[in-house]
Amino acid sequence: MFLVHPLFLLGFLVAGVPILLHFLMKRQPRKLNFPAIRFLQSRERARNRSLQLRHWLLLATRVFLVLVLVLLFARPGRKAAGTAAENGPVSVLLVLDTSPRMGYRFENQTFLERAKKQAYQVLATLPAGSQAAVISTFPSPQGFLPDLGEAERRVRNLVLSPASRSMTETLGEVLPLLENVTGRREVYLFTDAAENAWPGEAGVFGGLLEKYPGTRVYWVDVGEEKTANMSVEIPLSQAFSVDARGMATLEVRFGGGDDTPRTATLWLYDASGQLRKRDERQISGESVVTFPFSVPDAAGCQGEVRLEGTDALPFDNRAAFTIPAVTTRKILLAATGDDAFFVERALRSAPRRREAAYGCEQVSYAELSGKSLGEYQAIFLLDPPALSGAFWNTLRENAENGLGVGIALGPKTDGKNLAIPEAKAFLPALPEMLARHPEGVVLIPSRTSHPIRKVFSDLGVSVPWDVSPVFRYWQLGAVAENVTVVFRFPGGDPAILERRNGLGTVLLCATPLSPTGNDAWNLLPSGGSWPFLVLVNAMADHLTGSERFSGNVFLTESVSFPTGISLRETYTLECLRDDGVETLPLTADRRRRRLDVPKLEHPGNYRIPMDDGVRGFSVQLPPSASDLTRVSLERRHVLFAPYPITCVRNVTDLEYAGGGDAWGYDPFTWLASLFLGGMLLELILANRFYSIR
């Protein structure tokens, strides 16, 4: 015997109310001596006995109605004899979605609170000896707990996590926990049934579950069909622009919700690190709002946009953003005559970028030996002539400490000089002979995910390399170890090679990046060739360790900053919160000259004090995180096909709470019939006993 809702048994106390009212409201007759009716007293005594019997009968009927009503709410039952739930333990997987969407509040209760309440009900009805595994969509320790009290504590401690995974990914990871389980197995999925929580092909779980025959799967839907939510979205790629006067324009999208007027506010951090309100707009429904504000010339700024007031899903009512500070990278261009003209122009005439700028200095090869290379982030050797072994040693030592070196071979290159031991130990490969193609050949990107290669692929357009043909290039000999081919020529000859040298990077280009007179080696730097502009800037970015970074990323994306030639190993990540600043130590990768930030669990603004200033960045949840579009009932079954699942709105809608066996005896129908019959009997008795005649 069990009760689905045992707390309702407290309602038995209400059964005393009719009795109490019976005695409190009982009318007391006045006693009068009237001799004329003395002969009626004997008849009156007989009638009183009859009325007293009727009153007790009506009272008993009303008490009976209260007791039956309490039992209806408590819902007693008896499980079928011999079921596993009664005769043996059960192993239960409780999988709860803890994504921010589950913070949606409906009727003063969030979806996560609903899920936890129903998980408690499952745990409360498990038979002795059962075990449970409590799994959330946030990566956490997994395993069955024989102590159901500990399982309940884990459910109670679950909180919303922006870094949650999808239910599909989570379930695929935890189902193997059933492999070593004997006896009865059950899986409960507590979800709001959002589409983005359940990606995957048809039958994605069917094959997995067929490995564990007999496992019962229950989809418990704690969401709502009709929801309304307004969100703030700052598109990362085109959210802001900054003009030459330092005026920024921030474009913000407000989606969803109804036509209720709301206030959108812009907040910026001031020089003291305090968040100040700078602007506000009145919005209604879906809209796009532009906020203009000034930005210091090189300092950049951070802030956030807020949607004031409250709605059912508060986590997406604010979004952080960063306009990166301008950092100047010093590049030394070593060339003869005007050989550096096109490279310098490409670096200086690139579209204005908030996150990086280049200060170029040009020297001749005669002046190069007197330069201190330690003050530069990168050096380009354009069509280098014969150089001394001492210079190659100096170049190698600086590269090992983080200097980026770009070398473009050309007609002035002396192949024999580059074969000296000092140069051979430093270069990715040595030039051997000239290759001539009068009809011209084009650069072909390698299949590797190299940062320079990625710059072109991120453009999303076809690169017209055919307008920049190469007629001559140096064929390179044996490639050194740990060398990456970035670009090739048709036929497989390397065009651009990369070699790591200590903390630095060496890029070797087999054809010039400079004019070569009337006898042109290539048309790469021709006036209308934008691929040359992108290529030179991508090479400079890679050599200086300042690949393009917008300062704004989604929570699932990695964050990495260049450290340049700094020898520091430790840095501090500052997390800007409403109640102060949290700090996290970081360790730099000196070999790569990068500072990698671990996966962050919360959206917001972050800063890292570095040698050349403070680097800031912002983390946002992707727009899909607040998408409440629901997956259809048919789609739910398709995901698990051909394995059967049971979809319910409440665990009490199952065949019995906490399991899946049939009821041995369910008195609900009889109790309901008794209650209705009792109501009819009470109505008849009350009308008959108290009718006016």
Side-chain angles (χ1 to χ4, degrees):
M1 191 74 177
F2 70 93
L3 295 170
V4 177
H5 304 294
L7 290 179
F8 277 109
L9 292 181
L10 295 175
F12 280 145
L13 299 176
V14 183
V17 173
I19 300 174
L20 183 63
L21 293 177
H22 172 77
F23 288 105
L24 291 178
M25 301 179 65
K26 183 177 181 181
R27 298 181 61 182
Q28 299 295 329
R30 294 179 61 187
K31 191 172 183 179
L32 299 174
N33 294 322
F34 191 26
I37 61 172
R38 194 176 304 165
F39 69 93
L40 298 175
Q41 288 180 344
S42 58
R43 181 174 178 82
E44 180 68 17
R45 283 192 291 269
R47 179 174 175 80
N48 284 342
R49 285 194 296 270
S50 175
L51 286 174
Q52 190 175 24
L53 178 62
R54 293 179 181 182
H55 283 306
W56 283 111
L57 182 61
L58 186 59
L59 176 64
T61 302
R62 288 171 174 171
V63 172
F64 173 76
L65 283 175
V66 173
L67 296 178
V68 173
L69 184 62
V70 170
L71 289 176
L72 275 174
F73 280 107
R75 197 177 178 185
R78 185 178 69 247
K79 297 166 187 166
T83 63
E86 188 173 53
N87 299 333
V90 185
S91 296
V92 176
L93 268 180
L94 303 177
V95 185
L96 292 88
D97 192 344
T98 55
S99 63
R101 274 186 338 275
M102 295 289 285
Y104 189 92
R105 186 169 293 275
F106 184 81
E107 295 182 348
N108 204 32
Q109 190 177 47
T110 67
F111 291 168
L112 181 59
E113 290 170 346
R114 283 184 178 180
K116 293 164 73 170
K117 182 179 179 180
Q118 299 205 44
Y120 294 149
Q121 294 179 8
V122 174
L123 292 173
T125 56
L126 293 179
S130 297
Q131 59 179 353
V134 179
I135 309 297
S136 73
T137 49
F138 178 75
S140 56
Q142 302 169 357
F144 282 99
L145 300 171
D147 183 356
L148 297 183
E150 175 64 17
E152 184 175 335
R153 186 188 67 81
R154 287 200 179 181
V155 172
R156 184 167 56 252
N157 291 338
L158 291 179
V159 295
L160 300 174
S161 174
S164 291
R165 302 166 296 176
S166 68
M167 286 288 284
T168 299
E169 182 181 356
T170 302
L171 186 57
E173 182 178 301
V174 302
L175 280 179
L177 291 176
L178 300 173
E179 185 172 353
N180 298 321
V181 172
T182 58
R184 186 177 189 81
R185 296 183 290 254
E186 295 177 356
V187 179
Y188 290 82
L189 308 173
F190 300 95
T191 173
D192 63 345
E195 273 189 353
N196 58 64
W198 293 97
E201 302 292 334
V204 63
F205 301 118
L208 284 174
L209 286 167
E210 286 181 345
K211 298 178 182 178
Y212 318 111
T215 301
R216 295 178 181 267
V217 180
Y218 303 105
W219 177 302
V220 184
D221 184 359
V222 298
E224 289 293 330
E225 291 292 341
K226 295 182 178 181
T227 56
N229 172 57
M230 178 170 278
S231 61
V232 181
E233 178 188 350
I234 300 179
L236 299 189
S237 58
Q238 70 274 9
F240 60 83
S241 59
V242 184
D243 62 21
R245 298 174 300 167
M247 288 299 298
T249 301
L250 178 68
E251 180 183 285
V252 185
R253 297 175 185 172
F254 298 91
D258 50 28
D259 294 332
T260 303
R262 300 284 295 273
T263 301
T265 56
L266 171 70
W267 299 72
L268 297 177
Y269 284 96
D270 60 17
S272 64
Q274 298 297 316
L275 200 58
R276 308 288 185 187
K277 186 167 75 170
R278 294 285 297 272
D279 199 357
E280 67 177 46
R281 295 282 193 278
Q282 295 299 316
I283 61 172
S284 178
E286 294 192 6
S287 56
V288 177
V289 176
T290 300
F291 291 99
F293 56 94
S294 62
V295 178
D297 182 52
C301 69
Q302 289 183 285
E304 62 182 41
V305 176
R306 297 178 181 178
L307 192 59
E308 303 296 340
T310 59
D311 60 14
L313 191 60
F315 88 90
D316 57 359
N317 286 351
R318 59 198 299 180
F321 67 89
T322 294
I323 297 180
V326 175
T327 57
T328 301
R329 300 283 175 173
K330 295 184 67 176
I331 295 180
L332 184 63
L333 303 177
T336 302
D338 60 355
D339 285 356
F341 174 78
F342 283 104
V343 173
E344 183 175 14
R345 191 174 72 169
L347 294 174
R348 292 188 184 278
S349 63
R352 187 167 189 260
R353 292 162 41 176
R354 290 294 307 174
E355 66 274 17
Y358 292 110
C360 300
E361 180 182 348
Q362 181 178 348
V363 296
S364 66
Y365 284 102
E367 301 169 321
L368 184 58
S369 58
K371 280 289 182 181
S372 174
L373 302 182
E375 60 182 283
Y376 300 95
Q377 278 75 45
I379 179 174
F380 276 88
L381 303 180
L382 302 174
D383 196 3
L387 299 171
S388 67
F391 174 79
W392 287 111
N393 285 334
T394 300
L395 196 61
R396 177 178 54 80
E397 291 171 0
N398 280 273
E400 289 175 350
N401 289 325
L403 178 69
V405 180
I407 304 172
L409 305 179
K412 302 181 184 68
T413 300
D414 186 345
K416 293 182 179 179
N417 175 261
L418 293 180
I420 62 177
E422 294 84 355
K424 187 176 181 180
F426 178 73
L427 295 172
L430 297 179
E432 291 189 343
M433 60 182 298
L434 287 177
R436 293 177 172 84
H437 296 273
E439 71 286 358
V441 293
V442 298
L443 296 180
I444 301 175
S446 66
R447 296 182 180 274
T448 63
S449 57
H450 192 275
I452 297 178
R453 168 73 176 88
K454 187 175 183 297
V455 170
F456 287 95
S457 61
D458 287 347
L459 294 175
V461 297
S462 177
V463 182
W465 291 111
D466 56 328
V467 302
S468 307
V470 176
F471 306 110
R472 293 186 185 183
Y473 61 86
W474 283 97
Q475 285 185 319
L476 304 176
V479 175
E481 295 182 359
N482 301 320
V483 170
T484 301
V485 178
V486 183
F487 282 87
R488 295 181 180 276
F489 292 114
D493 288 339
I496 299 179
L497 299 176
E498 179 197 42
R499 181 180 185 179
R500 303 296 303 183
N501 202 305
L503 301 179
T505 300
V506 181
L507 290 175
L508 178 64
C509 185
T511 193
L513 298 177
S514 54
T516 54
N518 295 330
D519 190 13
W521 281 48
N522 60 65
L523 296 182
L524 288 174
S526 60
S529 177
W530 63 261
F532 177 78
L533 180 72
V534 176
L535 177 63
V536 171
N537 277 271
M539 292 175 66
D541 287 350
H542 188 59
L543 291 175
T544 60
S546 58
E547 284 88 0
R548 186 175 181 85
F549 174 61
S550 69
N552 299 273
V553 297
F554 288 129
L555 194 66
T556 55
E557 297 177 340
S558 60
V559 179
S560 180
F561 288 99
T563 60
I565 59 176
S566 172
L567 300 181
R568 286 177 55 188
E569 292 187 357
T570 59
Y571 294 82
T572 301
L573 175 66
E574 298 177 351
C575 315
L576 308 184
R577 304 285 184 241
D578 291 341
D579 54 354
V581 178
E582 299 178 9
T583 59
L584 178 70
L586 300 176
T587 301
D589 185 340
R590 292 187 60 195
R591 185 187 65 82
R592 296 171 47 243
R593 294 183 295 156
R594 306 294 299 183
L595 182 62
D596 298 322
V597 179
K599 185 177 181 180
L600 299 170
E601 299 178 5
H602 298 281
N605 285 307
Y606 296 82
R607 297 184 308 204
I608 303 177
M610 304 186 74
D611 295 342
D612 56 355
V614 176
R615 299 292 182 87
F617 65 96
S618 300
V619 178
Q620 297 183 25
L621 282 170
S624 60
S626 58
D627 186 358
L628 298 170
T629 305
R630 289 166 56 82
V631 62
S632 66
L633 183 62
E634 179 183 5
R635 169 68 175 165
R636 303 175 197 182
H637 289 280
V638 167
L639 287 170
F640 289 84
Y643 204 88
I645 65 170
T646 302
C647 298
V648 295
R649 293 284 299 175
N650 196 296
V651 292
T652 57
D653 296 333
L654 297 172
E655 292 176 298
Y656 75 86
D661 292 313
W663 294 68
Y665 175 65
D666 182 6
F668 182 84
T669 304
W670 288 103
L671 288 173
S673 300
L674 280 174
F675 182 75
L676 293 175
M679 288 286 292
L680 180 61
L681 177 62
E682 195 274 344
L683 180 65
I684 294 173
L685 291 177
N687 287 332
R688 181 176 180 82
F689 293 167
Y690 298 116
S691 61
I692 300 175
R693 300 180 180 179

